[in-house]
Amino acid sequence: KAAVLTDYAVDVIDKLFSDPGNPQTISQARHFTQECVRYIGLQKHAFLHLVELTGHDSYTYAHSVGVAAYTIALAREAGIVGVQELSDIGLAGLLHDVGKSLVDPSIINKKGPLNETEWAVMKKHPEFGGEILRRHRNISPVIILAAEAHHENLIGTGYPKGLVTSRMDPLVRIVTLAD
């Protein structure tokens, strides 16, 4: 089941990054996270199996799937048990980096450190993600907030807004931690 979920997620993430405006792909991503919630909820070690399998694909896809799995597992450990809430937070984890679809691949895949100009572009991906996700109907606001704030940190030195995570929605903080 973990292998099937991982393969399905990689396909969904591939579609998201090639056409982030497609509502059908968001629907498929939502379905994936619901299946993750069921899978992780039914088997004690399912989360570990899912994460182990994510290392076999390219970084961004595997990272997005891994963040979704970590997010669901952390939320469950924090006492969140509602299927809808877990599905929303899992979808937030899966979609948190969708804004990278608007960043030049030469910047994302650059070997070595980014220069100042490249770093400025890369730091815009959370805002790009929020813009992309706002175009979709019926998407939970926490999913958009997570895309926009997943690089914020405890002391306010993150980006893009320098928010202190204690002032963020608790579900967004879970995505930030999972990332």
Side-chain angles (χ1 to χ4, degrees), residues 9 12-13 16-17 28-30 32-33 61 64-65 67-68 71 89-98:
V12 169
I13 295 294
L16 278 168
F17 277 75
Q28 290 172 330
R30 180 172 283 123
F32 164 75
T33 56
Y61 303 149
S64 295
V65 174
V67 170
T71 299
I89 195 167
L91 186 56
L94 188 68
L95 300 177
H96 79 284
D97 266 343
V98 72

Side-chain angles (χ1 to χ4, degrees), residues 54 57-65 97 100 108-109 179:
T54 63
D57 297 298
S58 67
Y59 174 78
T60 299
Y61 303 149
H63 173 69
S64 295
V65 174
D97 266 343
K100 285 185 176 179
I108 293 173
N109 299 314
D179 181 44

Side-chain angles (χ1 to χ4, degrees), residues 26-34 88 91 138-140 143:
I26 295 292
S27 178
Q28 290 172 330
R30 180 172 283 123
H31 179 258
F32 164 75
T33 56
Q34 290 168 343
D88 282 349
L91 186 56
N138 303 322
I139 196 162
S140 171
I143 296 167

Side-chain angles (χ1 to χ4, degrees), residues 4-82:
V4 169
L5 281 173
T6 300
D7 289 345
Y8 180 61
V10 168
D11 182 56
V12 169
I13 295 294
D14 188 36
K15 288 177 184 174
L16 278 168
F17 277 75
S18 62
D19 185 12
N22 187 337
Q24 185 177 24
T25 306
I26 295 292
S27 178
Q28 290 172 330
R30 180 172 283 123
H31 179 258
F32 164 75
T33 56
Q34 290 168 343
E35 288 302 312
C36 277
V37 167
R38 286 187 197 97
Y39 181 60
I40 291 171
L42 293 175
Q43 298 184 33
K44 188 174 182 175
H45 299 290
F47 162 71
L48 295 175
H49 297 299
L50 192 58
V51 171
E52 285 171 1
L53 288 171
T54 63
H56 295 290
D57 297 298
S58 67
Y59 174 78
T60 299
Y61 303 149
H63 173 69
S64 295
V65 174
V67 170
Y70 275 108
T71 299
I72 293 166
L74 287 170
R76 286 181 49 80
E77 285 299 312
I80 298 168
V81 295

